[in-house]
Amino acid sequence: VSVVVIHSQPDQDADRIDEVLEFWRNENPDLDVTTKGLSMRLRRSCRLLERAMRQELATMDVEMWEMEMLFSLRRAPGLQRSAGALLRETGVTSGAITNRLSRLEEHGWVRRDTDLTDRRQVLVTLTDAGRARANELIAVKTNAEARLYSGVPRETLERLGADLRALLTSIDQDLPGEY
Amino acid sequence: VSVVVIHSQPDQDADRIDEVLEFWRNENPDLDVTTKGLSMRLRRSCRLLERAMRQELATMDVEMWEMEMLFSLRRAPGLQRSAGALLRETGVTSGAITNRLSRLEEHGWVRRDTDLTDRRQVLVTLTDAGRARANELIAVKTNAEARLYSGVPRETLERLGADLRALLTSIDQDLPGEY
DNA sequence: GAAGATTGAGTGTTCAATCTTT
DNA sequence: AAAGATTGAACACTCAATCTTC
């Protein structure tokens, strides 16, 4: 006679990732599950939130990269940054920046001028329409974020923010600059 | 006469993101900076870690998507999953799965067979070479992770993992399934 | 020669349309 | 019809090569 045990519900908050970790720990008991679990949850949280935000923005016909560019310019002194500065803010390659700028320019959100002090550089300026658009989007994004996190205790959110800052200050040093 | 104040060094651990938050709070004092900061730090952590891991793997001529597929199959019962199951594990579209499988098949890591019980389905099996490759990669990835997180106190890492799990259990419900 | 931006080739994704099997 | 996998077009990225300006 054999008995089959069906765990009605795994303990507390065990999620799908706990099962995956369990597998690897079974394969190699010496494995450090803490760092591996953190990596997986970080990645998954990021993907889910990004997907949710993308859906949210799709209703307004906005892409993530568009927001990223518009917001960076919105924060810039004089609503203006060089293409290189935008590159460093967003962390994408120079080729990507060129493409993004062309598309933003077509929509009339930004203007491109050559810097007269150093004619190698391109100065990108947010137009009035672009500024209006940015203001509109920041509200949408903020609301969406608030809604997404509404199920988590405020205390947890604040602790997460603080701990992630600690993580960032640690790994930012080792890695090539970006923003 | 004007006085220019150069802040020698912002307080404690204020990172670049704090400056961005400061800007928006200045624009709108009612703004909830907690959720916004969390979003930004989550995204940035994820990007930085992913970039670091990608560099690490490049030395072994591996891509992230390759690892993702190999590991999912490595954990599967009988080292085998249907294409649809892989789709749900990885969260990419069916078209992407088809492409990935073709490339993995060319390298000889996996084999594709039609399921005889339901000939619509494709059963993907990890070959011996694929299994060896997966074992090799899990070691590389684990070492890289340990090194990346080495600058952060263990206590913080564990708390981060726990809090992220709480976040995931909250947002996973609202969002369309994936894995 | 080096720095900044642009171009083009190669890569990998999504999305919609299609084909096969149920 | 519906489900599962494949195909091809569109898109956005990286990387390396190029052009202009310093």
Side-chain angles (χ1 to χ4, degrees):
Chain A
V1 181
S2 73
V3 178
V4 177
V5 177
I6 302 176
H7 11 103
S8 55
Q9 188 70 348
D11 48 347
Q12 196 45 3
D13 277 331
D15 56 4
R16 175 65 202 279
I17 289 180
D18 279 325
E19 295 174 31
V20 175
L21 293 176
E22 186 55 34
F23 174 90
W24 290 116
R25 223 158 62 74
N26 216 45
E27 289 276 321
N28 176 7
D30 297 337
L31 199 69
D32 177 19
V33 172
T34 306
T35 53
K36 191 159 281 308
L38 179 51
S39 285
M40 297 179 69
R41 292 205 168 88
L42 210 45
R43 186 176 157 95
R44 181 159 176 79
S45 306
C46 200
R47 303 251 170 210
L48 286 177
L49 290 169
E50 208 159 304
R51 168 173 308 195
M53 188 59 69
R54 209 184 303 274
Q55 280 184 328
E56 197 77 32
L57 295 176
T59 64
M60 295 206 55
D61 220 41
V62 197
E63 306 283 338
M64 294 285 276
W65 64 263
E66 189 180 335
M67 253 197 348
E68 201 177 14
M69 300 285 283
L70 257 31
F71 287 178
S72 174
L73 286 169
R74 179 68 180 73
R75 293 196 315 268
L79 303 175
Q80 177 173 274
R81 278 193 213 279
S82 72
L86 284 169
L87 177 160
R88 285 181 288 277
E89 277 262 323
T90 57
V92 297
T93 58
S94 57
I97 289 292
T98 301
N99 289 332
R100 288 181 175 193
L101 288 178
S102 301
R103 281 173 279 158
L104 289 173
E105 208 175 23
E106 281 176 19
H107 284 72
W109 311 130
V110 305
R111 205 179 54 238
R112 262 194 281 205
D113 304 297
T114 59
D115 185 348
L116 298 181
T117 350
D118 178 353
R119 310 242 303 267
R120 291 172 303 180
Q121 300 201 52
V122 168
L123 287 178
V124 183
T125 313
L126 204 57
T127 63
D128 288 347
R131 190 191 155 125
R133 175 99 168 155
N135 288 344
E136 198 178 42
L137 294 183
I138 187 69
V140 173
K141 180 155 190 279
T142 302
N143 285 337
E145 279 167 352
R147 201 157 355 100
L148 275 168
Y149 293 122
S150 63
V152 183
R154 183 155 195 88
E155 187 192 344
T156 307
L157 296 179
E158 285 173 5
R159 193 169 51 222
L160 265 174
D163 285 340
L164 281 177
R165 179 165 57 184
L167 175 65
L168 278 173
T169 55
S170 169
I171 61 179
D172 246 343
Q173 305 164 346
D174 313 333
L175 265 51
E178 168 199 349
Y179 265 106
Chain B
V1 180
S2 73
V3 178
V4 177
V5 177
I6 302 176
H7 12 102
S8 54
Q9 188 69 348
D11 48 347
Q12 200 37 12
D13 277 332
D15 56 4
R16 175 65 202 279
I17 289 179
D18 280 323
E19 294 174 32
V20 174
L21 293 177
E22 186 56 33
F23 173 89
W24 290 116
R25 223 159 61 76
N26 216 46
E27 289 278 322
N28 176 8
D30 298 337
L31 200 69
D32 177 19
V33 172
T34 307
T35 53
K36 191 158 283 304
L38 178 51
S39 286
M40 297 178 69
R41 293 205 167 88
L42 210 46
R43 186 176 157 96
R44 181 157 176 80
S45 306
C46 200
R47 304 250 172 211
L48 285 177
L49 291 169
E50 207 159 307
R51 169 174 307 195
M53 188 59 69
R54 210 184 303 275
Q55 279 184 329
E56 198 76 34
L57 294 176
T59 65
M60 295 206 56
D61 219 41
V62 196
E63 305 284 337
M64 295 283 276
W65 65 262
E66 188 181 337
M67 251 195 349
E68 200 177 16
M69 299 284 284
L70 258 32
F71 287 178
S72 175
L73 286 168
R74 177 68 179 74
R75 293 196 316 267
L79 303 176
Q80 177 174 274
R81 279 193 213 280
S82 72
L86 284 169
L87 175 159
R88 285 181 288 278
E89 277 262 323
T90 57
V92 297
T93 59
S94 56
I97 289 292
T98 300
N99 288 333
R100 288 181 175 193
L101 288 178
S102 301
R103 281 173 280 162
L104 290 174
E105 206 174 25
E106 280 175 21
H107 284 70
W109 311 131
V110 305
R111 205 179 54 238
R112 262 195 280 207
D113 304 297
T114 60
D115 185 347
L116 297 181
T117 351
D118 179 352
R119 309 241 304 267
R120 291 172 302 180
Q121 300 201 54
V122 168
L123 287 178
V124 183
T125 312
L126 204 58
T127 63
D128 287 347
R131 189 191 155 126
R133 174 98 167 157
N135 288 343
E136 200 178 39
L137 294 183
I138 187 71
V140 172
K141 179 156 192 279
T142 303
N143 284 337
E145 278 167 353
R147 200 159 354 99
L148 275 168
Y149 292 122
S150 63
V152 182
R154 184 156 196 84
E155 188 193 342
T156 306
L157 296 179
E158 284 173 5
R159 193 171 49 224
L160 265 173
D163 284 341
L164 281 177
R165 178 165 58 184
L167 175 64
L168 278 173
T169 54
S170 169
I171 61 178
D172 246 343
Q173 304 163 348
D174 312 333
L175 265 50
E178 168 198 347
Y179 261 109

